[in-house]
């Protein structure tokens, strides 16, 4: 990989933020907060995250989908429409295009994932009105 940063340096922060998000979304603290937030991540998860970062770099950065002039919004929500659905938020808007990442070892689409994306589309339209 030809990055100006080291993915291995970013992965621990991404892992920590993912752990915080689980706590925030569940609304419950884990029994052992320190271990839950600060223990080293499983090596398989680290490897998976590094692979995902590499794919993101190749698909979005290297191919210039995201440029220095791009408008990028992480975890966009849909205002009052989001609140009516328990706080729905997506993964990322890139120059007005919604991207919601799904990871799986199998290929193809699940109807639930497609329904979620259609729901985000509807929520976005409601929020804009």
């Amino acid at each position: 990989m030809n990055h100006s940063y080291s993915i291995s340096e970013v992965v621990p922060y991404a892992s920590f933020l993912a752990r915080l998000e689980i706590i925030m979304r569940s609304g419950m603290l884990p029994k052992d907060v320190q271990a839950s937030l600060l223990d080293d991540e499983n090596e398989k998860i680290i490897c998976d995250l590094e692979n995902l970062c590499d794919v993101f770099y190749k698909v979005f950065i290297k191919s210039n989908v995201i440029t220095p002039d791009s408008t990028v919004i992480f975890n966009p929500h849909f205002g009052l429409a989001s609140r009516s659905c328990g706080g729905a938020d997506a993964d990322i808007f890139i120059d007005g295009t919604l991207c919601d990442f799904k990871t799986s070892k199998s290929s193809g689409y699940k109807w639930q994932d497609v329904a979620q994306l259609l729901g985000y589309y509807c929520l976005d339209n409601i929020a804009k009105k």
Side-chain angles (χ1 to χ4, degrees):
M1 291 184 280
N2 290 328
H3 303 298
S4 60
Y5 57 89
S6 168
I7 288 176
S8 62
E9 293 173 351
V10 173
V11 164
Y13 296 104
S15 174
F16 178 75
L17 292 172
R19 292 172 183 197
L20 283 177
E21 182 180 29
I22 291 168
I23 293 169
M24 189 271 307
R25 289 188 186 274
S26 72
M28 296 173 37
L29 288 174
K31 290 180 183 178
D32 186 350
V33 174
Q34 183 169 344
S36 177
L37 291 176
L38 302 177
D39 278 358
D40 289 337
E41 193 60 77
N42 177 294
E43 189 62 36
K44 181 168 178 6
I45 291 174
I46 290 172
C47 183
D48 286 346
L49 282 171
E50 288 174 346
N51 289 333
L52 290 170
C53 288
D54 190 43
V55 169
F56 184 88
Y57 175 78
K58 288 175 183 171
V59 171
F60 289 93
I61 307 294
K62 194 171 183 181
S63 67
N64 290 320
V65 171
I66 298 176
T67 68
D69 296 323
S70 290
T71 300
V72 178
I73 302 170
F74 294 99
N75 291 103
H77 59 86
F78 311 103
L80 293 174
S82 282
R83 284 189 224 132
S84 69
C85 296
D89 65 340
D91 287 340
I92 190 170
F93 267 124
I94 302 170
D95 294 325
T97 300
L98 173 66
C99 299
D100 202 66
F101 302 107
K102 304 296 181 193
T103 58
S104 174
K105 300 290 182 186
S106 59
S107 61
Y109 296 98
K110 293 181 184 175
W111 72 265
Q112 295 93 335
D113 295 340
V114 175
Q116 182 183 23
L117 291 173
L118 288 172
Y120 289 157
Y121 173 77
C122 292
L123 291 173
D124 188 46
N125 281 325
I126 292 167
K128 286 177 181 174
K129 291 180 181 182

